[in-house]
Amino acid sequence: MEFKATDIASFLNGEIVGDSDVKVSNVSKIEEGKEGTLAFLANPKYEHYIYETKASIVLVNKSFVPRKEINTTLIKVEDAYKAFASLLDLYVQATTKAKTGIEQPSFIAEGVALGEGIYVGAFAYVGQGSKIGNNVQVHPQVHIGENVSVGDGSIIYAGAKIYADTVIGDRCIVHSGAVIGSDGFGFAPQEDGTYKKIPQIGNVILESDVEIGANTAIDCGTMGHTIIRKGTKIDNLVQIAHNCDIGEHNVFAGQVGISGSTKVGNYNKFAGQVGLGGHITVGDHVTLGAQSGVGQSVKSNQVLFGSPAIEIKQAMKAYVALRYLPEMRTDLARLKKEMDALKNK
């Protein structure tokens, strides 16, 4: 499919600078741009690529002012990154046809409530008492246990495992290899030094518009619920333990780990490999830098970094000081030697 610059600008309410008749049929990174593709520039670190890119159209912010001649057509928009995401969404809708029907072999237990326009792939399993909403896609080799509810428009990709009693809201996405509702890590120490498993009888609730990345694990509650509230997006290889309550519109990057019974507020951003201890509370609008370790509750509107995590400015000062520790150690040893010499005199 081809799109003219005028069509794209009209869709994005953007301003064209250059050839308004140029056409594109694909997208590309700005540093890998080829003729007939559309790219975007949002991060100033990549500005130098715009002067050499072969992409036919580049989306830029309205505030962008080139420092030298540009050979490509620009479309100026309020936010180039968001505009590019909107175009990708439009492209996927135009080029992707949702599958429908029930492939064989697959197993759907007797009495399962099936909505309209659903797709169930080969070797999928849907357990007794479950309910599959309208326009749901269950890809091959998915396991859906007993008494699971999947809301309208949700997608469960190949190989995901949904344990019994899980509730999945509307328009959720669960990627391949994710495990939703597995047992929480609960064991009682015995007098002889062994551990006795504590039965995990709760469930997991994903509210609407939640996305779960590949190979992420979300444990069921020991009793009650583990909850991921609406709009939260979770990356690959994330672990969320039993009875956590994760608020709305959070984003967690890969390898985040959250211990049991921790409560996270709304609109938080956790970078890769962040770890949270159990039974703590994180407020709203909190940003945690990569590999931060959080062992105590965090108030709202903070940016923390480090392990243990501290306020970002203090963390940067500590990091700078850490780099000079070898020199400081040498200086301290020299000063001690000089002081000892003065004492001996």
Side-chain angles (χ1 to χ4, degrees):
M1 297 180 66
E2 286 189 330
F3 299 89
K4 287 180 64 174
T6 49
D7 298 329
I8 296 170
S10 176
F11 176 73
L12 298 175
N13 195 26
E15 173 191 352
I16 299 174
V17 179
D19 183 2
S20 61
D21 293 323
V22 67
K23 297 179 181 179
V24 294
S25 58
N26 210 331
V27 295
S28 65
K29 297 180 181 179
I30 191 169
E31 63 269 31
E32 300 172 358
K34 298 178 182 178
E35 188 174 345
T37 65
L38 178 144
F40 77 101
L41 173 65
N43 191 329
K45 291 194 298 185
Y46 292 87
E47 181 183 336
H48 60 283
Y49 289 116
I50 200 170
Y51 304 111
E52 56 193 52
T53 187
K54 302 298 183 182
S56 298
I57 299 174
V58 177
L59 302 180
V60 297
N61 295 330
K62 285 187 175 180
S63 59
F64 174 70
V65 178
R67 292 181 292 173
K68 52 185 179 180
E69 184 179 355
I70 292 178
N71 297 317
T72 187
T73 294
L74 304 181
I75 297 181
K76 291 191 170 186
V77 293
E78 292 293 338
D79 187 315
Y81 185 78
K82 290 181 180 179
F84 189 72
S86 297
L87 283 180
L88 288 181
D89 187 49
L90 180 67
Y91 177 81
V92 169
Q93 291 179 29
T95 57
T96 303
K97 184 177 180 180
K99 294 182 177 180
T100 57
I102 299 174
E103 296 178 350
Q104 295 300 331
S106 60
F107 177 81
I108 300 176
E110 187 175 349
V112 170
L114 299 176
E116 298 178 357
I118 68 166
Y119 164 67
V120 178
F123 301 102
Y125 175 97
V126 183
Q128 191 171 8
S130 291
K131 180 181 179 181
I132 309 298
N134 299 324
N135 303 310
V136 169
Q137 295 185 46
V138 178
H139 285 256
Q141 297 184 330
V142 166
H143 173 92
I144 296 177
E146 290 72 32
N147 302 312
V148 170
S149 175
V150 181
D152 295 347
S154 290
I155 303 172
I156 304 176
Y157 282 105
K161 312 301 180 188
I162 315 298
Y163 279 54
D165 301 314
T166 296
V167 177
I168 297 177
D170 298 339
R171 299 175 302 280
C172 289
I173 299 174
V174 179
H175 286 281
S176 295
V179 179
I180 313 297
S182 52
D183 280 0
F185 194 67
F187 299 90
Q190 305 298 297
E191 291 181 359
D192 62 357
T194 61
Y195 291 88
K196 179 178 177 60
K197 183 176 178 64
I198 300 172
Q200 308 290 294
I201 61 173
N203 73 335
V204 173
I205 299 174
L206 307 183
E207 293 187 349
S208 297
D209 300 303
V210 167
E211 183 160 349
I212 307 298
N215 295 319
T216 281
I218 301 177
D219 295 343
C220 68
T222 303
M223 294 180 289
H225 315 298
T226 300
I227 302 178
I228 314 296
R229 299 191 184 275
K230 67 180 182 181
T232 284
K233 314 298 183 184
I234 297 175
D235 197 3
N236 306 331
L237 297 168
V238 170
Q239 160 67 21
I240 296 180
H242 61 86
N243 293 104
C244 285
D245 186 335
I246 308 301
E248 300 177 3
H249 304 292
N250 295 289
V251 285
F252 299 163
Q255 299 185 354
V256 163
I258 302 180
S259 300
S261 298
T262 288
K263 184 173 183 178
V264 177
N266 308 317
Y267 301 100
N268 297 296
K269 299 175 182 178
F270 295 174
Q273 297 186 333
V274 163
L276 271 64
H279 302 273
I280 64 174
T281 300
V282 176
D284 302 333
H285 299 283
V286 171
T287 298
L288 299 176
Q291 296 188 329
S292 292
V294 181
Q296 297 180 334
S297 293
V298 178
K299 294 180 180 179
S300 297
N301 303 304
Q302 295 196 71
V303 180
L304 306 181
F305 179 71
S307 185
I310 57 176
E311 195 274 329
I312 186 69
K313 290 183 180 178
Q314 291 297 109
M316 292 297 101
K317 290 178 181 178
Y319 177 72
V320 170
L322 183 65
R323 293 172 57 192
Y324 289 102
L325 274 181
E327 296 177 27
M328 294 168 65
R329 182 176 181 274
T330 300
D331 291 342
L332 184 61
R334 177 179 55 79
L335 288 171
K336 184 178 183 299
K337 186 175 181 180
E338 292 175 357
M339 289 184 67
D340 288 343
L342 289 172
K343 288 179 180 178
N344 290 336
K345 287 183 179 180

